[in-house]
Structure formats: structure tokens, C-alpha cells
Amino acid sequence: MKIAVFSTKSYDQEYFEKYNDEHQYAFSFYETALNSDTAKLTSDSKVVCVFVNDVVDKETIKVLAANGVKLIALRCAGYNNVDLEAAESHNIKVVRVPAYSPEAVAEHALALILTLNRKTHKAYNRVREGNFSLKNLIGFNLHNKTVGVIGTGQIGATFCKIIKGFGCNIIAYDIAENQELLDLGVTYVSLEEVFKQSDIISLHCPLNKHTKHIVNKSSIATMKEGVMIINTSRGALINTADAIEGLITKKIGYLGIDVYEQEENLFFEDLSEHIIQDEQILRLLSFPNVLITSHQAYFTKEAMDQITTITLENIKSFETGSEIANEVN
Ligand code: NAI
């Protein structure tokens, strides 16, 4: 069976080939993202495999359907980039990888917190240049700080367990409480209280119409002075312009983001020789207390193994007509 795989890098191809022996699928790997223009590349494929920044909207799905595509296999957990109604109306199934390694993402959130706080990225560069000064490298103890977690699903729960080990007080907001976390000593509070009480806020909820710009001018106004905000979930959870304003007024003391509202034009590419046109990312890069990584929280060997094997199993279930465990409805 032919599968068109979009937004691929060499490492994606490597992992798909590593696990293809038992399947013998014929992959067409495309570096380009899927959108309504590139959808024409699927003319001989029954399955398309896409990632976080592929644009699988109504227009794209129309072209996919006309080309005979029957399955959209997301090799990620979030599915905010797929128009599910359009897919259903064209009888195209959508599958995803709901949980491949919550540890990978939760541990990266910790990496952002520790780096922003203890400034190891700056210390590394300083010491390599023979500068052994500690000036401006002062951090704070995580012990006894209040950490607010928004979204306590797979990743948020794993994050809570890790940060608990640092001796933090954990408060959380979710539309559904997680009993395991209550047993761990996590206190569920309202969203407003998370914003008000937290020294560090970490976002782990999906992006949808309820959560878009959950961090905005008015929620930032209620936060503690110098709050640290960490986003490893989806860029549009934060209103970027409002976050920039919060950084300028010093209300936000630290911002660590692995995802960015307009990341589809930037992330995963080497743009070091290009003139970057995105004014907001350039402004964010100008702050000494902002740390940006390029959607790499998922990127561990264990997660790549899981993403690839589960994606191939999802496709196999579709091919053999068995029940598809990871279908998105
Ligand atoms: P999950 O589905 O296990 O958990 C999401 C949690 O958010 C659930 O407990 C749900 O009840 C909660 N939630 C839903 N609506 C909410 C709302 N309005 N307010 C507060 N909480 C709400 O998902 P998982 O696996 O924990 O992933 C979370 C997000 O992380 C994904 O949606 C995805 O956007 C992002 N992600 C980012 C990656 C990266 O590399 N940076 C990799 C994988 C996922």
C-alpha cells in the first residue's frame, strides 16, 4: 500500500524504514508540508501521514478525497490542525498517536524550567569563553514554589509527578480531575486561581476553541509579578502579543516555549541564512528571559520508536479492516 508522508526530515524516514520490514509499505516521503496545494501529491496514495504543522483543512481534505485518500494518519497526539468534520463528510478516517511518551514532553518542560531558572545555557557559553563570573546568573529554589498545571492528562500528570520530586506545591486546573494526582497531593483549583497563585505555570491542555489564548492580557494581569510561563503544548494557547507586553512590563519574569503561534513558517527548518520576517519571534528572541525551542519536546529515541510503531499499527488496522484503536472522532 502506498503512503504519502508529509513534513518529513531524514530522521522521520530513518524511523519509518527501521520498522517497515513487517509491513512493506511503499512510502513517498515529502519534505514539504501538506496543504491544499501539495495535496495533489497524493494521487496514488490511499493513506497520508502528517505531523503537527500540516494544514489539513477543508480545502486540503477536498483534494485528498478527490485523489482517493481514505486515511489521515497523524504521527502526533494533537489533532487541532485537522478539520474532523470535513474528513467525516468525505468518509476519510483520522487516526493519531494519543500517548507515545508523555515523559519526553514532561521532561522537556522541566528542561525549560531549569534552564530558564539556573541559566545553564548562559553559563555554558560564558565558561567556554573563560568568563567565570556569576553576575546575573542567580536563580531560585524550586523547593516550596507553587507550580500551576493546566491540563492534567498524560503529559500534565507526568509533569506533576516529576515536579513533585522537587518539593513544589502543585495546583492544577482541568475539566476532569485525575484521581492519581489527587492521591499524590495535587490540589485542583479554578483556572483563575492557577493564574493567581502560581510561581510557575505549565500548559498541558490541548488547543481548541476553549483554550485558544488562555494566556492573554487579562489572565496575565492576574498572575504573580515575575511569573514563569512554560508552554510545551500548542503555540496558540498563548496570545503572543500579550505575552510580549507582559515581558516588557516585567509581569512575566520568564517564558519558556517549545511551541509558537506562527511556528509553521519557522520551526523544524534551518533558517540561519535567511532574513526572518516574523516580527514577534524576533521580539521574543530579544528578551534575556525567554527560551525558545523548536517543537522538540517530543524528540527522544523512545518517543520516535513509539510514534513510528503506533502509526504503522494504526495504518495496518485500517488496511486489514480491524477496529482502529486510535481513531479520532
Ligand atoms: P491528554 O489528552 O492526555 O491530556 C489533555 C488534558 O487536557 C486532559 O486531561 C483534558 O481533560 C485536559 N483539557 C481539555 N480541555 C481543557 C481545558 N479547556 N482546560 C483545561 N484542561 C483541559 O493529552 P496529552 O498527551 O497530555 O497532550 C497534551 C498536549 O500536549 C497535546 O494536546 C499536544 O498539543 C501537546 N503535545 C506537545 C508535544 C511537543 O512536542 N511539544 C508532543 C505531544 C503533545
Side-chain angles (χ1 to χ4, degrees):
M1 192 168 64
K2 289 190 173 173
I3 302 171
V5 192
F6 286 86
S7 297
T8 55
K9 300 286 179 214
S10 56
Y11 42 82
D12 297 304
Q13 300 189 18
E14 191 189 304
Y15 274 84
F16 273 110
E17 274 150 14
K18 178 175 164 189
Y19 288 106
N20 194 29
D21 278 356
E22 65 167 292
H23 301 286
Q24 294 297 315
Y25 290 133
F27 297 115
S28 297
F29 291 112
Y30 298 110
E31 261 199 56
T32 181
L34 177 65
N35 57 42
S36 56
D37 288 331
T38 58
K40 58 179 175 283
L41 294 166
T42 62
S43 58
D44 60 348
S45 305
K46 211 167 167 185
V47 178
V48 293
C49 181
V50 297
F51 197 45
V52 290
N53 291 327
D54 290 292
V55 183
V56 199
D57 60 6
K58 212 173 179 168
E59 286 304 300
T60 305
I61 288 172
K62 209 167 132 187
V63 184
L64 295 181
N67 280 351
V69 170
K70 297 286 180 214
L71 180 74
I72 297 166
L74 288 147
R75 51 181 197 280
C76 54
Y79 50 87
N80 51 286
N81 53 336
V82 181
D83 186 331
L84 294 176
E85 272 179 32
E88 195 180 355
S89 74
H90 287 284
N91 210 15
I92 297 178
K93 290 187 188 302
V94 180
V95 290
R96 67 175 180 137
V97 186
Y100 45 85
S101 176
E103 293 80 14
V105 184
E107 288 171 15
H108 191 77
L110 241 298
L112 293 176
I113 292 172
L114 290 173
T115 309
L116 273 170
N117 176 14
R118 304 309 296 265
K119 305 175 176 67
T120 43
H121 55 319
K122 294 183 184 182
Y124 172 81
N125 285 326
R126 271 192 199 183
V127 171
R128 280 169 69 91
E129 289 182 6
N131 176 355
F132 298 94
S133 152
L134 299 185
K135 201 170 175 208
N136 295 325
L137 292 186
I138 195 158
F140 60 84
N141 285 5
L142 287 177
H143 186 78
N144 275 342
K145 292 294 179 298
T146 298
V147 177
V149 181
I150 300 177
T152 52
Q154 302 269 357
I155 297 168
T158 306
F159 175 81
C160 287
K161 290 177 207 161
I162 297 172
I163 201 82
K164 178 84 184 164
F166 283 80
C168 297
N169 309 314
I170 310 170
I171 55 174
Y173 170 73
D174 195 310
I175 50 174
E177 296 188 0
N178 177 336
Q179 185 58 47
E180 198 192 351
L181 294 184
L182 287 166
D183 296 343
L184 190 77
V186 172
T187 309
Y188 279 93
V189 297
S190 66
L191 184 59
E192 291 70 26
E193 286 302 315
V194 169
F195 289 139
K196 212 164 119 187
Q197 294 181 29
S198 304
D199 299 297
I200 299 170
I201 297 169
S202 197
L203 304 174
H204 298 288
C205 57
L207 172 63
N208 57 38
K209 63 179 182 202
H210 305 291
T211 59
K212 187 172 179 198
H213 290 176
I214 202 167
V215 172
N216 58 39
K217 201 181 175 104
S218 55
S219 57
I220 292 169
T222 66
M223 293 176 194
K224 282 189 174 175
E225 286 298 317
V227 65
M228 179 187 285
I229 301 174
I230 301 295
N231 187 8
T232 55
S233 202
R234 283 293 179 267
L237 294 179
I238 297 181
N239 180 316
T240 311
D242 293 352
I244 289 171
E245 190 56 34
L247 285 157
I248 291 169
T249 60
K250 301 189 182 165
K251 182 80 173 178
I252 299 175
Y254 310 81
L255 178 68
I257 55 175
D258 183 54
V259 286
Y260 169 62
E261 238 182 322
Q262 287 88 33
E263 70 176 48
E264 61 276 10
N265 300 324
L266 302 165
F267 283 14
F268 307 123
E269 303 302 328
D270 177 1
L271 301 178
S272 52
E273 294 299 323
H274 292 250
I275 308 297
I276 292 175
Q277 304 292 339
D278 185 319
E279 296 291 337
Q280 285 189 325
I281 199 118
L282 294 173
R283 187 66 179 102
L284 284 174
L285 289 170
S286 74
F287 293 101
N289 50 352
V290 172
L291 180 59
I292 304 175
T293 53
S294 178
H295 210 132
Q296 74 174 78
Y298 78 99
F299 201 46
T300 65
K301 291 173 189 170
E302 292 82 358
M304 286 298 282
D305 281 333
Q306 286 292 304
I307 288 171
T308 317
T309 51
I310 296 171
T311 299
L312 291 174
E313 277 162 24
N314 286 344
I315 294 170
K316 191 175 179 184
S317 303
F318 160 79
E319 187 188 23
T320 55
S322 9
E323 199 186 326
I324 309 175
N326 298 320
E327 188 166 352
V328 186
N329 296 308

